[in-house]
Amino acid sequence: MLMVAGMILAVMLTTGRTVGAEQQVLGSIDSKGTRSIVIRAEADAGITSDVLDRIDRIEGIEWAGAFSSATDATNAAVTEGVRVPVRFAFSKDLGVLRLPESSPAVGEVSYASPEALVQLGLADGVGAIALTDGQVFGVGGAIETPDFLRSFEPLVLVPSSQYSGSETVNIIVIVARQPELVAPVADAVNSVLAPSDPSKVTVQTSEALAQLRGLIQGQLGSFSRGLVVALLALTGALVTVLLFGLVMLRRKDFGRRRALGATRTLIVTLLLVQTAILACFGIVAGTVTAALILAIPGDPLPGAGFTVALAVLTLVTALLAALVPALVASRREPIRELRVP
């Protein structure tokens, strides 16, 4: 039990700490939008909202949305107040934008981020905004700005999930399902834009961040796997040696059991069950101790998936290591072991 607990403790304090740091770093990189693709088009580039129908046929896309050019707006009750940019938003999945799925048609209501509401003087999310072109929209409430739209803050959107396809759009935001798909998805989307003037369209991707993410994950992952394999192999070898010694010390006991009718299968089962019980106690003790040691100084903890996988691998390693000594114990001859010199 102590050997298994020590192995769990060693892995958690080395590889576990590394995995926790890796998850923290990757989470920080992901928060900057490693999967986002932003396409900007000038007003006369000829791109309309029907491009979303063509983008929807491309594999590997988690979300896509189109936005009009920004128009300044103020609090309808304070015409000389702070101006905030407002954009019309078109998407078949408004839920990703933290907007209601049944959003009213364009021209009826707007939604704003907390930062925009404060600048508009509508911190409670109730009121109306007036655009510089004379249009007035009610404020439907506050929305939480997704990470891939942080650059648009202060964010005010007039959303629509039903659009004619003829609305002019100036910005298209696409989120790939995986960071590795950013480059191919960007190429595929670029091929279906069909602008009247391609020189007026620019594509910005997070491919560099995606490559950095893959590099960090690969380097840390290979180091962690190598260390875990080495510690598991060492633990397996030590468990085997320990059980061989136990079998030699208790060989007469195993001989008596065989003489009393115990089968070889029973002897193997007894040793494996004993090993499994002790290993489980060691896994629990090592995991709890390691979690406390990591938590006290505030070091990152590995996820539940890593912890469960480590526990299962440790248990399997202990059982495999105990299998050979158990087979040796089951083959002890009763006559030889019970013979009195």
Side-chain angles (χ1 to χ4, degrees):
M1 185 183 77
L2 292 178
M3 189 181 304
V4 173
M7 193 280 291
I8 289 287
L9 189 61
V11 173
M12 289 288 287
L13 294 182
T14 54
T15 303
R17 182 185 278 114
T18 301
V19 170
E22 174 188 345
Q23 293 171 348
Q24 196 173 56
V25 171
L26 294 181
S28 176
I29 294 176
D30 286 342
S31 68
K32 298 180 181 297
T34 56
R35 299 181 293 141
S36 63
I37 303 167
V38 179
I39 300 172
R40 299 180 183 273
E42 298 181 15
D44 54 351
I47 298 181
T48 55
S49 57
D50 63 350
V51 71
L52 293 175
D53 297 328
R54 300 191 293 274
I55 292 175
D56 190 51
R57 301 187 183 97
I58 299 175
E59 294 292 332
I61 295 179
E62 181 176 304
W63 183 84
F67 303 85
S68 69
S69 59
T71 303
D72 287 342
T74 61
N75 188 329
V78 187
T79 55
E80 298 300 325
V82 176
R83 294 188 175 186
V84 174
V86 177
R87 293 180 175 86
F88 292 95
F90 310 98
S91 177
K92 295 181 180 180
D93 182 14
L94 295 174
V96 174
L97 296 176
R98 282 78 166 181
L99 298 173
E101 291 290 344
S102 57
S103 178
V106 171
E108 293 185 10
V109 69
S110 64
Y111 295 87
S113 66
E115 180 181 342
L117 290 174
V118 170
Q119 293 189 22
L120 288 168
L122 301 171
D124 55 359
V126 178
I129 58 174
L131 276 61
T132 54
D133 60 7
Q135 298 183 79
V136 178
F137 301 96
V139 176
I143 59 172
E144 180 183 351
T145 305
D147 291 335
F148 53 85
L149 293 181
R150 294 290 182 189
S151 60
F152 294 166
E153 287 280 21
L155 182 67
V156 181
L157 300 176
V158 181
S160 176
S161 58
Q162 299 176 355
Y163 43 87
S164 65
S166 60
E167 298 88 350
T168 299
V169 297
N170 297 85
I171 298 176
I172 302 173
V173 178
I174 298 163
V175 179
R177 290 178 183 170
Q178 299 176 359
E180 297 80 7
L181 296 177
V182 169
V185 166
D187 292 338
V189 170
N190 195 31
S191 67
V192 301
L193 290 178
S196 58
D197 188 352
S199 64
K200 296 182 179 180
V201 177
T202 59
V203 180
Q204 299 176 346
T205 69
S206 53
E207 184 178 358
L209 281 175
Q211 292 176 350
L212 176 62
R213 184 187 191 280
L215 180 63
I216 292 174
Q217 188 174 26
Q219 289 182 343
L220 294 179
S222 60
F223 171 76
S224 300
R225 286 191 296 270
L227 185 57
V228 170
V229 169
L231 289 174
L232 285 175
L234 177 61
T235 301
L238 292 176
V239 169
T240 301
V241 172
L242 181 63
L243 286 179
F244 260 122
L246 178 65
V247 168
M248 292 298 101
L249 290 175
R250 297 177 57 191
R251 62 183 183 274
K252 292 189 179 298
D253 179 50
F254 293 128
R256 283 192 293 269
R257 289 178 181 272
R258 294 279 286 119
L260 293 174
T263 62
R264 291 178 176 177
T265 302
L266 178 60
I267 298 297
V268 171
T269 302
L270 286 174
L271 277 173
L272 291 182
V273 170
Q274 181 182 14
T275 301
I277 293 175
L278 292 175
C280 288
F281 278 112
I283 289 170
V284 173
T287 301
V288 172
T289 304
L292 291 175
I293 294 175
L294 290 174
I296 290 175
D299 290 337
L301 295 172
F306 174 84
T307 304
V308 172
L310 177 61
V312 172
L313 281 175
T314 303
L315 180 60
V316 171
T317 300
L319 290 176
L320 290 176
L323 184 58
V324 174
L327 291 174
V328 171
S330 68
R331 294 182 178 276
R332 307 304 296 183
E333 292 296 336
I335 298 178
R336 179 180 179 183
E337 296 302 334
L338 297 178
R339 182 183 302 163
V340 178

